[in-house]
Amino acid sequence: MNSLIQTIEKYLTLKPELEKAILDVTKIRNVKKKFTLLEIGQKCDSLYFVQKGILRGYYYHKRKDITTWFSMENEFMTSTYSFISESPSHEGIEALEDSELGEISAKDLNQLYTDFPEFNLVGRKLMEMYYVILE
């Protein structure tokens, strides 16, 4: 997961103990093309880092499949509303290609924020970047 660490280090130089903690809680997940990581209505409790492949966020409107977001290599993906509010998701997440992902649970991410307060900067900077892109 070198690309995960390199992506994070665009925002913060990681101390060795923080880097180790991130890698310890990041699970590698390989999924096939068309695999649904998150169903609409399911609670999203994972943040994904796309090591290889492409993911998309989507919802349905009047029986039409509407894509809201693409995450490509070296980008993060989650259902932000569901991840933060711990509520059912209004969107789904699907792999568009065979993909290799890093997966961090909300519980583990929040523990990293508690144990390493400087890591909160990364969360804020990523949220700002994605908010600007969405707007």
Side-chain angles (χ1 to χ4, degrees), residues 27-86:
K27 294 164 183 56
I28 305 301
R29 185 158 181 196
N30 290 292
V31 297
K32 295 288 185 191
K33 180 179 181 176
K34 296 190 177 186
F35 181 81
T36 300
L37 288 153
L38 178 69
E39 298 278 353
I40 296 169
Q42 208 177 31
K43 187 175 101 172
C44 183
D45 59 2
S46 292
L47 173 66
Y48 300 100
F49 177 76
V50 183
Q51 181 79 22
K52 181 180 177 227
I54 301 174
L55 303 179
R56 78 173 182 117
Y58 67 93
Y59 69 97
Y60 292 103
H61 179 71
K62 296 183 180 180
R63 297 186 183 155
K64 284 189 174 184
D65 179 312
I66 311 291
T67 297
T68 56
W69 188 260
F70 294 101
S71 285
M72 297 177 202
E73 293 177 6
N74 301 320
E75 295 180 346
F76 292 91
M77 175 66 127
T78 193
S79 170
T80 305
Y81 168 79
S82 179
F83 188 79
I84 292 171
S85 69
E86 300 180 6

Side-chain angles (χ1 to χ4, degrees), residues 19 93 98-99 104-105 108 110 121 124:
E19 181 176 333
I93 300 174
D98 290 351
S99 299
I104 303 174
S105 72
D108 287 337
N110 284 314
L121 174 68
R124 188 190 94 216

